[in-house]
């Protein structure tokens, strides 16, 4: 009985993390790291980064449900969820994968 309860809890947790879940990254932390070079911080670089992240977030969020699961699964894995993850990277991955999917090449013998 105890094993089934643990299995049910694990299945519920795993089932809730599907490709339809929009990721929540840390753009402020990412941009702070981006704007810091050799210990020197640039407000201009930070603001530039935040602007790019906001644009990418808005664009990806708006069209999130239109991407096939194989594309979102790949890009979420590729971009990751660590401090280096960014909405701009996710946007580029989604765009590139959709273009590749549309023009999928076949090997010819």
């Amino acid at each position: 009985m105890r094993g089934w309860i643990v299995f049910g809890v694990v299945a519920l947790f795993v089932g809730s993390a599907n490709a339809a879940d929009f990721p929540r990254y840390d753009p402020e932390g990412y941009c702070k790291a981006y704007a810091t070079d050799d210990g020197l911080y640039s407000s201009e670089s930070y603001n530039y980064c935040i602007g790019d992240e906001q644009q990418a977030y808005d664009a990806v969020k708006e069209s999130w449900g239109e991407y096939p699961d194989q594309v979102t699964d790949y890009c979420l894995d590729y971009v990751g969820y660590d401090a280096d993850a960014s909405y701009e990277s996710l946007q580029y991955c989604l765009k590139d994968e959709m273009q590749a999917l549309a023009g999928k090449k076949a090997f010819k013998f």
Side-chain angles (χ1 to χ4, degrees):
M1 176 76 170
R2 186 176 201 194
W4 284 106
I5 293 172
V6 171
F7 175 77
V9 171
V10 170
L12 178 64
F13 178 77
V14 171
S16 68
N18 60 35
D21 293 336
F22 191 77
R24 182 167 178 113
Y25 298 141
D26 178 16
E28 291 176 346
Y30 171 78
C31 290
K32 184 177 179 182
Y34 171 84
T36 305
D37 185 29
D38 289 332
L40 301 173
Y41 176 80
S42 168
S43 294
E44 180 181 6
S45 293
Y46 177 84
N47 289 338
Y48 178 82
C49 179
I50 287 291
D52 284 350
E53 283 296 292
Q54 186 67 63
Q55 178 278 324
Y57 171 86
D58 293 343
V60 172
K61 179 86 171 169
E62 182 178 324
S63 57
W64 185 248
E66 299 170 18
Y67 298 107
D69 286 349
Q70 74 181 54
V71 171
T72 55
D73 289 347
Y74 172 78
C75 288
L76 288 172
D77 186 58
Y78 179 78
V79 173
Y81 289 94
D82 59 9
D84 293 332
S86 75
Y87 291 108
E88 189 174 27
S89 296
L90 180 61
Q91 182 182 33
Y92 283 124
C93 181
L94 293 167
K95 179 182 76 80
D96 291 347
E97 284 299 307
M98 290 301 289
Q99 287 175 347
L101 192 61
K104 191 172 183 179
K105 296 181 179 182
F107 186 83
K108 297 177 187 174
F109 288 96

